[in-house]
Amino acid sequence: MTEAQKRPYHHGDLRQAILETAIAMLNEPGGWQFTLREVARRAGVSHAAPYKHFPDKAALLNEIALIGFDRLHVALASARSSAGNAAEALAAASRAYLVFGLGNPALYRLMFGAEIGNSAAVHRDRRAMGAFDVVMDLLAEGQAAGLIEKRGVAGQAASVWAQMHGLTMLKLDGMLRPERVGEDAVEAALASFFEGVLV
Amino acid sequence: MTEAQKRPYHHGDLRQAILETAIAMLNEPGGWQFTLREVARRAGVSHAAPYKHFPDKAALLNEIALIGFDRLHVALASARSSAGNAAEALAAASRAYLVFGLGNPALYRLMFGAEIGNSAAVHRDRRAMGAFDVVMDLLAEGQAAGLIEKRGVAGQAASVWAQMHGLTMLKLDGMLRPERVGEDAVEAALASFFEGVLV
DNA sequence: GCGATAAGTAGACAGTGTTAACTTCATGTC
DNA sequence: GACATGAAGTTAACACTGTCTACTTATCGC
């Protein structure tokens, strides 16, 4: 008598179970290329049941990506609120960004994977911009306080975000090879970058 | 009498035809998620013929990614050779990088897509590092000539690469939204970044 | 209890990657 | 020219996947 046989006909919260199962499966080889059938199997339902909650696999992946953006935003907002001045907060938020990305490789890749699901819709969603807004705010604050080089905030914010995103992706992809850029490439790059940003 | 019927039994250069067909198909919706069967169909051979030249789809994608890195390297080396001093060359190479990435979205994504093919092997390949080597050289030159801020070359190179890569990916993914970062976010970010790098 | 509807099941279908047996052909040797 | 060999390509089969539809189960409101 397996668990599946003991479950009542209705799961009770299948949508949530599918999300959690899929998020967990992201960390297995193949990442987001898990099959919907395996998600259903593990959630203890028939292979077509997920279609009751998500119109297709892309929709499931989109929702997971947005959950990822929510979490990234929370991580940055949290780092910000426990830091000192704007420059310190920016540094803390940057580290939080890297910690999040490097600590959740598969989720991070899904969030930024352009050919995954309907990424255009994801990237238009307000939830995808929360983390970036934190960066924008900190830069504006830091400039006003004379702690950060005075440059166009928009361009500077894009540059900061590009730096975080680029470092995360290059590190995750194994392209920052120790024999070329040393053992602590991310830290060294961050230090180098902020030498050009902080006053 | 179709072209397929007029072709001799042996294609003559099927491996190349498959590569070219697949690279062309990269630019269609779905990018690298094209089917091997469609590649074969367009190349005018049976669906299983590609297996004579590539053990599986991943191997084909890997080879295409490496071709992409070759091209990126050529673009940077070319920009470098027609620029002036090291600082100018770095700026030119950076623009060449962005032009390449933004001009070949699907190829660029394949090059850096960690869950595509056997990306670990691709990223260990010497061919994946040619462009980065150009950046390293230019930074060392620029620092020696007093044109670029003196910082650890390894960290600085990682930072430059992260900036280029991050900007390319964020732009390609539609995340540098004009209403947030202006119409010329890439240019503005690049200017901001280099203000912190050039003397 | 009944009707409506949401949630889940079972089966079908088309398409895909891959494999193996078979076929075609080119090349080298005698 | 005949023959053997091996590479290149074909055909058919298989397992798997995403998706759809008809059917079943169960819940809720009247």
Side-chain angles (χ1 to χ4, degrees):
Chain A
M1 185 70 79
T2 68
E3 187 63 29
Q5 291 170 340
K6 281 157 69 171
R7 180 180 61 82
Y9 183 76
H10 283 121
H11 184 281
D13 194 8
L14 183 56
R15 188 176 191 277
Q16 188 61 24
I18 289 169
L19 279 171
E20 287 169 9
T21 302
I23 289 173
M25 286 174 72
L26 268 184
N27 298 311
E28 296 169 17
W32 62 269
Q33 289 176 73
F34 57 74
T35 68
L36 218 44
R37 290 187 178 218
E38 184 61 22
V39 174
R41 196 191 66 76
R42 293 186 193 187
V45 295
S46 70
H47 75 275
Y51 289 95
K52 279 294 172 189
H53 301 276
F54 300 94
D56 53 21
K57 183 179 173 182
L60 171 61
L61 293 173
N62 290 351
E63 182 56 35
I64 296 174
L66 289 174
I67 288 170
F69 279 111
D70 292 338
R71 291 184 183 176
L72 179 60
H73 180 207
V74 168
L76 263 66
S78 175
R80 173 190 189 173
S81 66
S82 49
N85 61 37
E88 286 159 354
L90 181 65
S94 300
R95 281 177 211 288
Y97 190 105
L98 286 163
V99 166
F100 176 87
L102 299 180
N104 301 274
L107 180 57
Y108 192 82
R109 287 199 182 95
L110 174 58
M111 287 155 65
F112 290 92
E115 72 279 10
I116 308 173
N118 179 4
S119 60
V122 169
H123 295 162
R124 274 197 300 271
D125 197 292
R126 224 195 125 25
R127 288 159 78 186
M129 288 295 157
F132 186 57
D133 287 342
V134 173
V135 173
M136 290 275 279
D137 290 345
L138 289 177
L139 288 174
E141 265 183 57
Q143 285 197 11
L147 300 172
I148 288 169
E149 295 282 352
K150 271 200 195 321
R151 293 172 192 148
V153 171
Q156 195 176 49
S159 176
V160 170
W161 195 11
Q163 189 66 201
M164 298 307 107
H165 183 53
L167 280 179
T168 302
M169 294 309 292
L170 290 177
K171 181 66 182 173
L172 288 183
D173 291 346
M175 313 227 42
L176 299 179
R177 311 192 59 78
E179 70 270 12
R180 286 179 180 277
V181 293
E183 290 293 331
D184 293 302
V186 173
E187 280 298 327
L190 213 49
S192 180
F193 179 72
F194 278 117
E195 272 182 52
V197 171
L198 304 182
V199 175
Chain B
M1 184 67 80
T2 69
E3 187 63 30
Q5 290 170 343
K6 282 157 67 173
R7 181 179 62 80
Y9 183 76
H10 283 121
H11 184 281
D13 195 8
L14 183 55
R15 189 176 191 277
Q16 188 60 25
I18 289 169
L19 280 171
E20 287 169 9
T21 301
I23 289 172
M25 287 176 70
L26 267 186
N27 298 311
E28 295 170 17
W32 62 268
Q33 288 177 73
F34 57 74
T35 67
L36 218 42
R37 290 187 179 218
E38 184 61 22
V39 174
R41 197 191 65 76
R42 296 186 190 186
V45 293
S46 70
H47 75 272
Y51 290 95
K52 280 296 172 189
H53 302 276
F54 298 95
D56 53 23
K57 184 180 173 181
L60 170 61
L61 293 173
N62 290 349
E63 183 55 33
I64 295 173
L66 288 174
I67 288 170
F69 279 112
D70 292 339
R71 292 184 182 175
L72 179 60
H73 179 208
V74 168
L76 263 66
S78 175
R80 175 191 187 171
S81 67
S82 50
N85 63 37
E88 287 160 354
L90 182 63
S94 298
R95 281 176 209 290
Y97 190 105
L98 286 162
V99 166
F100 176 87
L102 299 180
N104 300 276
L107 180 57
Y108 192 81
R109 286 198 182 95
L110 174 58
M111 286 154 66
F112 290 92
E115 72 278 11
I116 309 173
N118 181 3
S119 61
V122 169
H123 295 162
R124 276 199 297 272
D125 197 293
R126 220 190 129 30
R127 289 158 76 185
M129 286 293 156
F132 186 58
D133 288 342
V134 173
V135 173
M136 291 274 280
D137 290 345
L138 288 178
L139 288 174
E141 264 183 56
Q143 285 197 11
L147 300 171
I148 286 167
E149 294 284 351
K150 273 203 196 316
R151 294 172 193 147
V153 170
Q156 195 175 47
S159 177
V160 170
W161 195 11
Q163 188 68 202
M164 299 304 110
H165 184 53
L167 279 179
T168 303
M169 293 309 292
L170 290 177
K171 181 67 183 177
L172 288 182
D173 293 344
M175 312 227 47
L176 298 180
R177 311 192 61 76
E179 70 270 12
R180 286 178 179 276
V181 293
E183 290 294 332
D184 293 302
V186 173
E187 281 299 327
L190 213 49
S192 181
F193 179 72
F194 278 118
E195 273 181 51
V197 171
L198 305 182
V199 173

